[in-house]
Amino acid sequence: MSGYGFGKKPARTPDPATDGGRLDLSGITRTPLPVDPAREAAALERGAALGFVDRGAGEGPEPSVRRRRQAVPQSSVYIKGPKDTLDWFIEYTNARAHRSYWQTLEEFRTMVEGKD
């Protein structure tokens, strides 16, 4: 029986630039790369001509902090009943352009409890 390639490790080809499968990163510096101010200005001009907006750090107004809504506890219900009644409920939900059945139930609750 074929495993369709799952669980197989790819065969490594020996590479003289690597040592035991690890890359030699000793020559890489962690300092920022030097930027030519003339090239940077030219790149900014080309970007502005295309409609890009500079969103540099520390410039402009403070970013707004979005607050997360508290998650409402979820539950699920399975309803078994007469086909014509459940089909009517589905049609009603679709006609009201609700994306979920709970929205229709919430609408019914509002009507029953007399809330507006």
Side-chain angles (χ1 to χ4, degrees):
M1 189 189 307
S2 175
Y4 298 102
F6 294 108
K8 291 183 181 178
K9 294 185 178 181
R12 282 191 187 230
T13 56
D15 186 5
T18 61
D19 179 26
R22 295 182 181 231
L23 295 175
D24 179 20
L25 304 177
S26 61
I28 297 176
T29 62
R30 292 181 169 230
T31 59
L33 296 175
V35 178
D36 179 24
R39 288 185 67 194
E40 182 180 15
L44 289 174
E45 287 177 22
R46 286 193 308 270
L50 292 172
F52 289 98
V53 178
D54 183 15
R55 306 240 193 274
E59 298 175 12
E62 291 286 324
S64 62
V65 178
R66 294 187 179 192
R67 295 179 187 227
R68 287 187 169 216
R69 276 193 234 166
Q70 289 292 332
V72 178
Q74 300 289 307
S75 182
S76 57
V77 63
Y78 174 77
I79 300 174
K80 186 174 182 179
K83 182 173 179 9
D84 61 333
T85 303
L86 296 178
D87 287 345
W88 174 88
F89 181 75
I90 292 167
E91 290 290 324
Y92 181 82
T93 300
N94 293 338
R96 303 295 289 182
H98 293 163
R99 295 174 61 187
S100 299
Y101 296 136
W102 68 263
Q103 292 172 318
T104 304
L105 292 172
E106 190 173 71
E107 184 178 297
F108 285 162
R109 180 182 180 186
T110 302
M111 287 186 326
V112 169
E113 292 180 353
K115 296 179 183 178
D116 276 343

